Amino acid sequence: MPTAIAVTGRELVLPPPDGQTPSAVVLRPPEAQSLDDAAAEVATLLDQQGYLIVLYPAATPAAVVRRLHTVRAVLESDRMALLPLELPPLAVAVLARQLRQLSISDFSPGVLACAARLLSHYIHAGALLGSVARLDRVPVSLTSHVKSWMPGAQFGVLAHPTPRLVRVGGAAELPAPGYATALTVARGQLTSHGHGNGGAGHDDWVTGALAPAWGVRGVEEVPLPAESARWWGTPKLIEFAAAIPDLSVLYQLVASVRREECHWCGFELIGDRCAFCSCPVARGDEIPALLTSHRPALTSR
């Protein structure tokens, strides 16, 4: 059976792209489930699936993160990987779906878990914001802070892979991916301006301007993750994430990376660190920098 993929919120489980992709497990927060029940649930998952990979935003509340580590410690299991990701919530959901797709392939659990870091480099994650006054995850200039108080001001923000902020309606644009992507969109409490004359329009800036500029293959709308408003500093937003939709390309990216064996726990891995025990690859000066400073090249759109 495939390795199970878990997330920390129901909105992080996106619809499967086909009839073969398994769903993700939703691990409930401490206030919704006792420690005994949480440990029993994960123990059952490990018995059924063998391995569990848990993805969550690095900004997840501390109580939730403590619960995850406590469950793993209680079970004394080396088959549960906890992967905090420096991505906005919607991008975490997109990445989780990609791993769900790859979970039915022939990749070992160690390689599949390490693939999260690799594939995150190929996700362009951002949002359309009505205010950047409380945005602390992307550099914001004093001028942008001042403009965010102006009525009707809106900002296009790219948080990953390269932070960028532009004012909607200005000359600057967010840098596009250099490869084919599909766009996932989640709407919060924001009415976007039209992309034409600046008034309200049928197409908002994300789907009417950004999507065509990036040449995306399709646009999918999903519910906004519960953590998005806190991550972006405002509920007035439209979050988006552009990612590779082709499973064969995702497989090729992961399969092309050199594999190592963790000298501590024995898991197969790619990159410079085991995703299950966090032990670095013991190769001295030859530690591969693939997942930190280099991305395998993709053909352009």
Side-chain angles (χ1 to χ4, degrees):
M1 297 182 70
T3 298
I5 308 299
V7 292
T8 54
R10 191 164 301 279
E11 300 89 352
L12 300 180
V13 184
L14 299 184
D18 52 52
Q20 294 182 316
T21 300
S23 186
V25 177
V26 179
L27 300 181
R28 287 174 282 178
E31 63 271 17
Q33 187 180 44
S34 70
L35 176 58
D36 287 345
D37 289 344
E41 180 182 23
V42 172
T44 300
L45 280 170
L46 292 174
D47 287 342
Q48 293 175 343
Q49 304 279 29
Y51 301 89
L52 180 65
I53 299 171
V54 185
L55 306 179
Y56 58 95
T60 296
V64 176
V65 178
R66 282 196 300 270
R67 165 58 63 84
L68 295 174
H69 284 272
T70 301
V71 167
R72 186 172 64 175
V74 167
L75 296 177
E76 297 182 339
S77 176
D78 60 355
R79 294 180 290 130
M80 180 179 179
L82 303 180
L83 305 181
L85 299 165
E86 295 294 342
L87 292 171
L90 183 61
V92 172
V94 169
L95 179 58
R97 181 165 59 184
Q98 290 180 330
L99 289 194
R100 288 159 50 196
Q101 290 179 271
L102 290 171
S103 70
I104 59 176
S105 68
D106 57 357
F107 291 133
S108 67
V111 169
L112 184 64
C114 290
R117 289 182 64 199
L118 171 65
L119 297 181
S120 69
H121 289 291
Y122 295 94
I123 298 178
H124 277 55
L128 175 67
L129 305 178
S131 171
V132 293
R134 296 184 178 180
L135 179 64
D136 59 4
R137 303 185 185 281
V138 175
V140 180
S141 67
L142 178 60
T143 301
S144 295
H145 268 298
V146 172
K147 288 181 178 179
S148 71
W149 292 100
M150 297 175 60
Q154 293 187 345
F155 299 86
V157 183
L158 189 66
H160 185 85
T162 304
R164 187 74 61 87
L165 185 150
V166 300
R167 185 176 181 187
V168 172
E173 297 181 350
L174 297 181
Y179 39 87
T181 61
L183 192 68
T184 303
V185 179
R187 300 179 185 276
Q189 303 170 16
L190 180 68
T191 302
S192 173
H193 298 325
H195 64 279
N197 57 17
H202 178 70
D203 289 327
D204 61 42
W205 179 81
V206 175
T207 59
L210 182 71
W214 282 9
V216 300
R217 290 183 173 180
V219 177
E220 173 191 25
E221 294 206 17
V222 299
L224 185 73
E227 286 295 311
S228 292
R230 191 170 68 88
W231 203 97
W232 292 102
T234 176
K236 296 183 178 181
L237 78 156
I238 299 175
E239 192 172 5
F240 57 84
I244 299 170
D246 193 329
L247 177 57
S248 64
V249 176
L250 297 175
Y251 183 92
Q252 203 170 26
L253 280 172
V254 178
S256 67
V257 182
R258 176 177 174 173
R259 302 185 189 187
E260 309 281 347
E261 182 177 299
C262 178
H263 70 280
W264 180 259
C265 66
F267 274 98
E268 191 178 33
L269 61 89
I270 59 175
D272 59 0
R273 186 174 298 274
C274 177
F276 279 88
C277 72
S278 298
C279 186
V281 175
R283 296 180 59 216
D285 294 336
E286 298 180 1
I287 292 178
L290 172 65
L291 303 190
T292 56
S293 62
H294 172 69
R295 302 185 308 172
L298 284 177
T299 56
S300 63
R301 298 192 304 271

